[in-house]
Amino acid sequence: MAVTPACPSPRAPTYLPWGASVGFASATGAISVLRSDAPPSSFVLERRADAVGAPTSVTAAPRVISGRETYLLWSGAPGASEISAWWDEGTGSCHIYHARLKLGGDATEVESLFAKIIGSIPAAFVDESAGKTGLLAEIALEHAPTAVAVMSFADRLFVADREGGLSAFATSTNALVRWTDLHLTDVRSVARLAVVPFTKRVYALDQAGDRVLVFDGETLDIVTTISVGRAPTAIAADQKANLIYVANFGQQSGGPDERPGSISVIDGTTEMVVATVPTRGHPMAVDAADDRVYAGGMELNPSSSGFIQVVNSRTRTEIATVGTSPPWMMLADPVDGAVYALSNRVLPSSTTNKIIGSMWIELDMRTLGAAGFVDGPGDARAIAWHTGSDIAYRRVYVATQRDIGGVLTFYGPPTAGSTRLSRLSVELRVGDYPVGIAVDSATHRVYVASNGDKIISVILQGR
């Protein structure tokens, strides 16, 4: 019979600024009984989990706070009025997370800050052999990432960064294989990525240079450069057809003229542009599925409305243009017959403009009818999906920035006869300011690149 290893005892709180000699007492009752006096009280939060996710014995019984089994210790020792948090990974099957709070103000302020610190602690790292959804690893990056892409069956993860470079990591070990300079025309521009696994090619946008850079996915040697339309902003690959689609915004930043953009079609065999399809405005997102290309963006000024343009990928002619809110990111889901797009939802108030959530745009592929709705809090930064045929794994992932930092939210497939995704209760804390998601549907791993913390969160999608 397998024996569950024992977790280590809670370590002495020597990392606290007032030293280890202060005695700790268990806090009891709801959060509302906690108060911050003058000088501020100091709280220490400790959350523990063993191999099967059950709490282990510590100095106090757990309480469920914001859906988490939580242990709370506190001391009345004085300290500066501040709030800080971190977590420490344990060894073996045990993981211990710590957060330190030194809070000042009235009870409402204390409770609000305490709730944020609870939300900022990620779920425990999971054992891949258990097949559970959770965080597998975090890959530390030297430079802040701007985009991420994974090449299934080739043991490669690619990351573009703010220093104008491209990194390749081995997905089997999460180790850096090579970094190379992208030679961007302007390193301040964001390089987007797309990959074609069977040709082992990586495509990176050079926005200021109006071109696409093609790299060998094994060596990171540059293969060629391809001139496209003005200010390419998004890229997507039809991996089956070996076609790459580039959405060209149509106007460089600060440009004096106003002209619509276009979609460049690149043949991955010849690495040449074989067609250019004009768009109705400035496209900012693109994806392809089932002999169709979907480009979304903004109408020409002075209009602030948006569109999704549907193009036949064989004839390269427009099928329809559907008016929507301006989509900043999108994905085409042929399995469920829908295109899902996201844009920021900003509502004006008497004092400020506040982002209350992200506007979802749902386009039915069959009827080309679009619907818009707000789904949940947060400023959406990236969207991706698990393309596997097994419905147990099929998910849509959205990375958002919130007041507690980056969060990855999971959505399940729609019910029969619908195109509306179902928001699941699963949410994982990822790095601050997420900028991209890549999904390896072969290994069921999700990679989230975060600009603020300069990390890649490696997440396992369980059944």
Side-chain angles (χ1 to χ4, degrees):
M1 183 176 67
V3 177
T4 301
C7 286
S9 301
R11 66 177 182 172
T14 54
Y15 54 87
L16 298 175
W18 52 86
S21 61
V22 177
F24 284 84
S26 299
T28 59
I31 300 178
S32 60
V33 306
L34 300 178
R35 293 293 181 266
S36 178
D37 305 318
S41 298
S42 300
F43 303 91
V44 177
L45 171 77
E46 184 177 81
R47 178 175 182 270
R48 295 166 56 81
D50 64 16
V52 294
T56 60
S57 59
V58 289
T59 54
R63 289 182 289 129
V64 176
I65 302 176
S66 298
R68 300 178 184 273
E69 288 187 325
T70 303
Y71 303 91
L72 178 66
L73 308 174
W74 69 279
S75 168
S81 180
E82 65 178 36
I83 183 170
S84 60
W86 64 89
W87 56 88
D88 294 327
E89 179 184 351
T91 58
S93 60
C94 303
H95 302 280
I96 305 173
Y97 302 93
H98 299 276
R100 181 186 65 188
L101 295 82
K102 293 187 291 183
L103 308 176
D106 60 24
T108 302
E109 292 172 341
V110 170
E111 291 173 22
S112 175
L113 291 174
F114 192 79
K116 288 182 181 180
I117 212 72
I118 294 286
S120 72
I121 298 177
F125 284 78
V126 297
D127 184 346
E128 187 166 14
S129 63
K132 295 182 179 180
T133 298
L135 189 63
L136 284 178
E138 289 177 338
I139 304 174
L141 304 174
E142 183 176 353
H143 308 298
T146 60
V148 62
V150 66
M151 191 173 285
S152 298
F153 306 107
D155 192 28
R156 285 295 180 268
L157 174 73
F158 302 97
V159 182
D161 62 56
R162 285 204 173 276
E163 299 301 315
L166 176 67
S167 299
F169 292 84
T171 55
S172 57
T173 63
N174 294 330
L176 177 66
V177 176
R178 187 184 174 189
W179 181 93
T180 190
D181 194 331
L182 285 169
H183 298 290
L184 299 177
T185 304
D186 185 347
V187 296
R188 295 172 298 178
S189 61
V190 176
R192 304 299 185 190
L193 301 176
V195 298
V196 178
F198 79 89
T199 63
K200 296 184 178 180
R201 293 289 169 89
V202 183
Y203 299 84
L205 295 185
D206 180 7
Q207 185 175 23
D210 300 338
R211 59 182 185 161
V212 172
L213 312 171
V214 187
F215 292 85
D216 184 306
E218 292 185 325
T219 65
L220 281 197
D221 293 334
I222 191 163
V223 176
T224 188
T225 61
I226 306 169
S227 296
V228 291
R230 299 188 66 190
T233 56
I235 187 168
D238 182 339
Q239 298 180 358
K240 293 181 179 179
N242 197 16
L243 294 172
I244 297 86
Y245 297 96
V246 178
N248 306 300
F249 192 77
Q251 178 183 5
Q252 293 286 4
S253 177
D257 55 346
E258 180 65 24
R259 67 176 69 179
S262 61
I263 303 169
S264 296
V265 184
I266 298 173
D267 186 326
T269 302
T270 63
E271 307 294 10
M272 297 178 61
V273 174
V274 293
T276 300
V277 182
T279 58
R280 299 296 182 92
H282 300 303
M284 299 176 292
V286 67
D287 205 358
D290 285 353
D291 297 327
R292 287 183 177 182
V293 182
Y294 301 87
M298 300 185 300
E299 297 281 2
L300 294 175
N301 289 334
S303 172
S304 60
S305 61
F307 66 91
I308 295 178
Q309 188 166 337
V310 186
V311 174
N312 185 308
S313 61
R314 293 186 177 183
T315 64
R316 286 133 193 183
T317 57
E318 179 184 308
I319 297 173
T321 296
V322 183
T324 66
S325 297
W328 291 86
M329 62 208 80
M330 63 192 305
L331 65 84
D333 176 2
V335 177
D336 299 312
V339 174
Y340 299 105
L342 282 163
S343 64
N344 293 336
R345 177 67 166 175
V346 181
L347 293 186
S349 67
S350 58
T351 57
T352 184
N353 286 345
K354 182 181 180 182
I355 296 177
I356 65 163
S358 299
M359 170 66 77
W360 276 84
I361 304 160
E362 173 191 85
L363 178 70
D364 191 316
M365 290 181 175
R366 295 154 294 196
T367 65
L368 296 182
F373 56 98
V374 175
D375 182 78
D379 175 9
R381 301 301 181 96
I383 185 172
W385 74 305
H386 191 300
T387 60
S389 58
D390 189 339
I391 195 171
Y393 288 106
R394 206 162 75 239
R395 297 288 184 268
V396 170
Y397 311 94
V398 177
T400 59
Q401 179 65 21
R402 306 186 190 175
D403 54 3
I404 63 170
V407 174
L408 185 70
T409 303
F410 293 60
Y411 293 81
T415 58
S418 171
T419 55
R420 182 67 52 87
L421 295 170
S422 57
R423 183 178 179 181
L424 305 178
S425 59
V426 181
E427 285 192 331
L428 293 179
R429 173 76 161 85
V430 293
D432 215 20
Y433 291 99
V435 294
I437 307 172
V439 182
D440 189 335
S441 295
T443 62
H444 313 303
R445 292 188 179 192
V446 183
Y447 300 88
V448 183
S450 297
N451 188 290
D453 288 331
K454 294 196 291 189
I455 62 170
I456 303 291
S457 300
V458 185
I459 295 162
L460 179 67
Q461 169 62 65
R463 293 182 65 87

